[in-house]
Amino acid sequence: MSPPDPYLLLDLGLAATILVLALAALRQRDSFTMAVVFILFGLLVALAWVRLDAPDVALAEAAIGAGVTGALLLRTLRHVGGERRDPAPVPRVVAGMLGLSVAGFATLGGLALMATPRHGTGLIPAVAARMDQSGVEHPVTAVLLNFRAYDTLLEVVVVLAAVMAVWAIDRTIDRAAAPLPYLPGVALRGPIAGAYLRLVLPALALIGAYLVWIGAYSPGGAFQGGAVLAAAGVLSALARGGRWPRTAATMPLLRGSLVLGVVVFTGVGIWAAVAGGGVLHYPPAQAKPLILLIEASVALSIAATLTALFLGHMPQPAARIALRKGTTNDT
Amino acid sequence: MTPETIYGATGIALFAIGLYHALVLPSALRRIVALNVASVGAGFVMVIAAWRPGGGADPVPHALVITGIVVLVAATAVALALVRALHDADTTETDDTP
Amino acid sequence: MIPQIDLAAIDWMLVPVLAPLLGAIAGFVLPRAATAAGMAGLGLSAVGSAAITAQVRTGAAPSTAIGGWEPPLGIVLAADGLTAAFLLLTVVLTLAIGTTRALTPAPARGAAIFWPLMLLLVAGLNGAFLSTDIFNIYVTLEVAALAAVGLAVLTGSAAALRAALNYLLAGMLGGVLILLGIGLLFHAHGRLDLAGLAAVAGSAPSDGIALIAIIAGLALKAALFPLHAWLPAAHSNAQAPVSALLSALVLKAPLYVALRLWVGVLDPATASGTVLGVMGAGAILWGSVQALRAERLKLLVAYSTVAQVGLISLAFGLSAANPAAIAWTGAVTLMLAHGLAKAAMFMAAGRIVEEVGHDRIAELDRSPRRPTLAQFSFALAAISLIGLPPTLGFAGKWQLMEGAVRADAWIWLAMAMAGTLLSVGYLSRVLVGFLRFDRVRGAVGEHQGWTLADGPPLLLAVTAFGAGLFATHIIALLAAGAPLGQLPGAMQ
């Protein structure tokens, strides 16, 4: 027996904290505290994933899983002013039976996972053997943007589908009867906030762009960078009380930004097919610039998309908004 | 005991916690959070599958988890938009057919 | 001089995914041209699907490694007879539904966003039908799921919003279960391609739990009893063309994936087949009883979907539990027949609501208006759903029952018969009302309540009714590439 690894104690502590935070978030009475605990949970999960040599995933979890989801939760709580309980909760007997079956499933799953040896090599050699043809130096980016680029294209499509669905939902609401809430508590207004924004927005833009660019060499990439850019988008929207700019150009510009990633990604894919390689089969010599082009446009689209998902409503013509100015969502 | 067993068990436990609460919690917003917890559990299993003791993890599961995170945030955003819309509909309409 | 294009050299495999995707984007960016972009996307996708089917019929077994990366690293799209059948079902249904939508004179609420959402849905479904990579299939199903939720809310009622939320939460839960299963499979086998997994599935201790998670997730997305609670409200509260899409097509994707896994990857144990059979029997009884009690036409049709998914599940279970039964083609034929008939029924129901102003079954026979063609379409589709000869439903049930007889599986046979009788019961509630219209018919010369939009449901109903005559061709197409050839008992 070798002496116990001191890191293992750290691991045990981290794992236990993660589990406690998950339970605390779900069983917490106060909705706002729940959202905050959930964000903390996501950040600690990211820490665990750094420990497990998954820095890209950790970045994505911290920026998107904790950050964006947390912002969406807080924004929704602000809108609805607390949770609404279902009129007919699950009966205790049913809940007990469900609990038992889930516990049984988890026990079997846990034991089976422990009893199963991890596959020896996974796809490590397959990726390593093809890295020189991938056009990038970072393996995760090579997988996302080249070896399994089709998955990533569809992933960007999922996000686009989400915006369309959210806008379809927005259309169902009679805005004359239920005006947009002003997001009063989080609106960034006044001279101090203005100075803060002038400082923070360029910094966020720079960090986001850096994350996208560095993705070719080390952890980072379009989704993490796009999430940081989205933070800039959300902050500048909050400076307007959580509304889109009221110009006539907003809607066409926004629609263009939302689809840019899919258009460039598909365009490059089809261009590669016409050039003779097959869909998404980049010529190795041009792979790097093509991947950077795709990443930059996907990052912009992700930023626009996440901002649109946060605001949750379509840009409206200036005349219609003016009628509703100053309204709040008291119920 | 290795990091693999510790975090593998954590992943399965998180999945079970999320699954159970997604089935029984009495508020839609809570169920959405519970689904996010369960998804993190599934992410742990993939990160464990990628991990190698000496370093040099498998990049493919990492890419899958990143995709999974983005897909889930998209679905979460739609679900939360529905929660907000239902709130607005209930505050403006007196009643509707169940 | 027209440049020569070698049609055979074109790689069609991604066309059914990328064409609707580009149509969706064009319709989203240019809302005024949404209908044109949508129909163009559907049309191009239809050309791609037809080309792939033609290749399959010649025995070419088309496949493409995207980006040139072979599995286990890359993703391969491939087509066999089963793929072709579902691509064609998607073509027929989406063209019919799209045409109805384009012909409807006064655009309903959310007209512009309908098209991009529907085209993304088609891209996701076609992607799932063509993919041979388990994770890629997960992503395609999520594309379809989010687009379907966006479509389901278009009526704008609070009931539709509530139903859509439950629909989405069920879909998300299904997705998370599938993700866990994929994680466990990758942990044990280090790969994601179905062909590679087929060779090793069952060899690791965690495979059982992984496949239970994936099948449970798919069952949730397919509304298999007792995981069906979200379906009736979601399908009955949507606009009629959307209900048709959701019930006839969207449910088929998880069933299709489950069939692929069941036949191609799993080592189906007898016990799991029996479980599916019991779930199917439960769905038949529950769905039928609820359909018998339903007061509204669309809700009745939605509950009938629960029962029909049960019948399909029964066919799955029979084939898995009794290797001698070989009822797989019966299950697939039933899925196709249900797709055609159910789309016709929902669209006809939508036309009846448009003309009569409501869909309360008890009062349908007291309306002075008489949407004759819609009623006729509904009746034809109902006959196919019940499975009278010569309909496609009959062909499917015949194969199912023949399989049950061959395997001496009398209980399964009894369940299929009971499902048929119950469907006669709940559908005749509606049809009897239609026949009694004459008692209170309006004055002569009054508008008879039919428009151009009656065409597509009628066409679909006629197809569902008459396709049984071509059942041998359909079964021959299904056999191309032997997708269902790797039967239990005759393992590869």
Side-chain angles (χ1 to χ4, degrees), chain A residues 187-198 238-239:
Chain A
L188 288 165
R189 307 206 131 219
I192 298 175
Y196 167 75
L197 284 177
R198 272 193 294 281
L238 286 180

Side-chain angles (χ1 to χ4, degrees), chain A residues 119 121-127 130 143 147-148 151, chain B residues 58 60 64, chain C residues 65 69-76 132-135 186 189-197:
Chain A
H119 184 263
T121 58
L123 292 172
I124 297 173
V127 172
R130 292 164 183 83
V143 174
F147 303 142
R148 293 181 68 89
D151 267 350
Chain B
D58 189 340
V60 174
L64 305 188
Chain C
W69 308 109
E70 297 290 338
L73 182 58
I75 300 164
V76 167
T132 66
D133 180 286
I134 183 79
F135 187 80
F186 193 92
H189 305 299
R191 62 193 314 155
L192 302 157
D193 56 316
L194 294 182
L197 285 173

Side-chain angles (χ1 to χ4, degrees), chain C residues 383-401:
Chain C
I383 290 169
S384 179
L385 207 64
I386 292 167
L388 295 181
T391 64
L392 194 58
F394 170 73
K397 280 194 182 162
W398 183 259
Q399 292 172 69
L400 172 62
M401 292 186 181

